[in-house]
Amino acid sequence: MFDSLARQIKDAQKIVFVTGAGISQESGIPTFRGKEGLWRKYDPMQLATIDAFYENPGLVWEWYEERRKNILAANPNRGHFAIAELAKHKDVIILTQNIDGLHQRAGSKKVLELHGSIIRIKCTSCDFNDNITKSFEELPPKCKCGKILRPDVVWFGEGLPQDVWSDAITHAQSCDVMIIAGTSLVVSPANTLPLYAKQNGAVLIEVNPEKTVMSSDMDLSVREKSAIALPELVSIIQK
């Protein structure tokens, strides 16, 4: 099957990656819905909603601060670096559900963070918004204006940043190849991006150790971890 797609992939002018927690799992960052996923251990309604935040901001911040420390201590893996390497030869756009910034740290420049960034912090009142890599001395942290700061991530019940989402749709509709790596494709609206690409006639490639809800829509499914499959896939595209 791959041989029949090889020419289309090699001739592609624009390649879009849609990435999820699976690509960062091998950097030591837990997924949310896998066998060892975070939502099997923690209730997202108590930790990842705006209501939970205002009800107990200290508790929510304790959890996010621990995650921030783990993420800041993690390093990009071979999957992240493979995508960054491909971008030196092709027009590559990354549409990621991840909030860890590992794509950028691997060298990728064109990254749209659909769900925000855990490294970026914003104020709940004023327009303060900045990347902060140090630990906070007290939780919840306060802005200079006196109001509580929060992670600049999209919580359950919140909409995606409209400018980011609009750009993501545009890229999905205009790509020749879309590679979906490390995502179960169950979170809306990010799971609609392959449909936009398919409507444009793009080749859809899935990289995931497990079958997903959209596997039957793929032109090729690679049942392997991203850190293993992506370097091999990229090397084939570059030949």
Side-chain angles (χ1 to χ4, degrees), residues 42-139:
Y42 304 99
D43 182 356
M45 295 300 106
Q46 293 183 347
L47 297 169
T49 69
I50 190 64
D51 290 340
F53 178 74
Y54 281 119
E55 182 177 336
N56 196 336
L59 173 65
V60 172
W61 255 111
E62 283 180 15
W63 191 68
Y64 273 92
E65 185 65 359
E66 185 64 28
R67 288 189 63 209
R68 274 168 44 81
K69 290 178 181 177
N70 292 338
I71 285 171
L72 290 169
N75 293 309
N77 60 55
R78 293 179 68 235
H80 296 105
F81 285 118
I83 297 174
E85 177 62 27
L86 182 61
K88 297 177 182 178
H89 309 278
K90 297 278 189 180
D91 182 14
V92 173
I93 309 294
I94 302 170
L95 313 178
T96 187
Q97 297 169 273
N98 297 336
I99 59 175
D100 50 46
L102 290 182
H103 283 299
Q104 294 91 322
R105 287 167 58 189
S108 292
K109 305 298 183 184
K110 299 179 181 179
V111 183
L112 295 184
E113 296 174 310
L114 303 177
H115 295 164
S117 169
I118 199 171
I119 300 167
R120 196 167 54 247
I121 307 301
K122 66 180 182 180
C123 182
T124 54
S125 181
C126 74
D127 60 359
F128 173 80
N129 187 311
D130 199 6
N131 289 338
I132 298 179
T133 57
K134 65 179 181 64
S135 298
F136 292 104
E137 295 181 359
E138 61 176 276
L139 299 176

